[in-house]
Amino acid sequence: MAAIEVRDLQRSFDGGVTAVAGVDLEVAEGEIFSFLGPNGAGKTTTVRMLTTLLRPTGGTAIVAGYDVVADPASVRKAIGVALQEAALDPLMTGRELLRLQATLHGIPKGELERRSDELLERVGLTEAADRRVGTYSGGMQRRLDLASALVHEPRVLFLDEPTTGLDPVSRKTIWEEVEALNREGTTVFLTTQYLEEADQLADRVAIIARGKIVAEGTPASLKAEVGKPRLEVTVAEGSPELCEGVLAEFGAPLPARDGTLIVELERGAAQIAPVVRALDEAGILVESLDLVEPTLDDVFVEKTGEHLSEDEAPGEGGGGGEGAETAGAPA
């Protein structure tokens, strides 16, 4: 059974604004699925519908076996959610917040104490457990919010841009925890505007633009669609024309750029040593040689006609308050 099944999911707002325009997707049990797109593309609106925070205006969505419209209470019991802005009381301590969340989920007192302590240790907040959340750094708050989403051991975990605005160390910590949770069997639905994050974590990626999915597949398959690895060579001494001839023996030549010769290599890194030997035998002195792999940004450009900017402010147009809502609590 799929963890998430979505068919023709739609959401329009007053004034004729369509945020999600017929999304189809399926997420397998135990998969990390990444929803990649810029701000305003429809990522957060889709997540709000899948987590029962927003009612669809069209289509169907089944999460953990339950219809998000017909049985939202069962959906909420089966999922954990960490949205863009952590909904954390700054006056509570980390330990108090986790125990409150466990109480809301009906976890017995003895079990909730054990569970909250385990989660604090898991996300590296044991030493800060009795400090007020308002004193936590942004990265610490994100980790606490993740622990809160896990307190009832959900089958499906939704993470909406969990590392936006975090420093590289905090981002890596979140990545490691997501991977660990997935190894333990948790299905993860991750929205992000970070190309590296999707490439690093996801089993499959869906690219969304203007409310529609424009590409879907594994990171490797998507990158393979837009081209092969390419070798970029700058000659220090020798004839560029001669170099072009040598490179053409190994793959299809591409247009040169600023004096740099470029050739596609079918087998990527495996062909570099033969290329270097051939250039040396031809008496060509190479100044620089770089193997460039296709990226998810190349895929994004191919599918949408624009680059995905990674330095935008978090949030989507019209959704400034989305992250403040709590989605994992029982109905």
Side-chain angles (χ1 to χ4, degrees), residues 9-321:
L9 191 66
Q10 303 169 37
R11 176 66 202 197
S12 298
F13 293 94
D14 293 342
V17 176
T18 299
V20 177
V23 163
D24 295 302
L25 60 86
E26 187 170 305
V27 180
E29 290 273 5
E31 185 174 37
I32 298 180
F33 185 90
S34 179
F35 220 27
L36 178 66
N39 291 332
K43 301 189 307 295
T44 294
T45 301
T46 300
V47 168
R48 293 188 72 198
M49 289 189 283
L50 296 181
T51 57
T52 76
L53 290 175
L54 189 64
R55 191 180 183 91
T57 52
T60 60
I62 308 297
V63 177
Y66 306 104
D67 189 291
V68 299
V69 173
D71 196 358
S74 294
V75 172
R76 291 173 187 165
K77 291 176 183 177
I79 65 174
V81 184
L83 297 178
Q84 288 181 32
E85 298 175 9
L88 306 174
D89 186 339
L91 299 181
M92 297 182 73
T93 67
R95 193 186 309 277
E96 288 170 343
L97 189 141
L98 285 184
R99 290 184 177 180
L100 173 61
Q101 188 72 2
T103 300
L104 292 172
H105 281 284
I107 298 174
K109 183 177 180 180
E111 176 66 15
L112 71 83
E113 292 178 357
R114 181 192 64 79
R115 182 68 180 149
S116 60
D117 289 348
E118 283 181 353
L119 287 169
L120 286 165
E121 182 177 359
R122 173 161 201 161
V123 298
L125 292 176
T126 299
E127 293 185 3
D130 296 309
R131 283 170 44 192
R132 290 188 177 184
V133 172
T135 69
Y136 285 15
S137 68
M140 293 170 69
Q141 290 191 19
R142 290 289 178 87
R143 284 184 276 144
L144 181 61
D145 196 39
L146 176 59
S148 180
L150 297 172
V151 75
H152 58 303
E153 300 181 317
R155 290 169 51 194
V156 183
L157 177 63
F158 288 88
L159 300 176
D160 189 19
E161 301 200 19
T163 65
T164 296
L166 296 187
D167 62 87
V169 174
S170 296
R171 184 177 296 174
K172 186 172 184 293
T173 299
I174 296 291
W175 288 3
E176 290 172 348
E177 188 56 41
V178 169
E179 290 174 325
L181 287 165
N182 182 248
R183 287 194 297 270
E184 294 166 9
T186 304
T187 302
V188 180
F189 188 103
L190 168 76
T191 78
T192 184
Q193 59 179 313
Y194 293 124
L195 296 161
E196 183 186 6
E197 187 159 86
D199 209 353
Q200 169 85 15
L201 293 178
D203 297 308
R204 286 190 305 123
V205 173
I207 295 176
I208 184 170
R210 292 175 284 278
K212 295 183 177 180
I213 292 179
V214 296
E216 185 177 347
T218 67
S221 68
L222 289 174
K223 288 184 282 188
E225 287 181 17
V226 299
K228 303 177 179 65
R230 61 185 185 271
L231 189 65
E232 300 186 353
V233 180
T234 303
V235 177
E237 291 181 15
S239 165
E241 291 77 14
L242 178 59
C243 183
E244 281 185 340
V246 173
L247 294 177
E249 297 176 11
F250 295 91
L254 299 174
R257 184 183 64 248
D258 299 327
T260 298
L261 304 177
I262 306 173
V263 61
E264 281 190 339
L265 296 182
E266 184 75 37
R267 294 184 290 114
Q271 290 179 272
I272 291 180
V275 169
V276 171
R277 282 196 298 269
L279 291 172
D280 184 58
E281 290 170 359
I284 299 169
L285 181 60
V286 174
E287 183 176 284
S288 68
L289 185 148
D290 294 301
L291 181 67
V292 180
E293 299 278 355
T295 68
L296 285 178
D297 189 48
D298 295 328
V299 177
F300 197 84
V301 171
E302 175 78 14
K303 301 298 182 180
T304 69
E306 58 190 22
H307 288 278
L308 177 59
S309 172
E310 295 196 347
D311 56 4
E312 299 172 344
E316 292 189 11

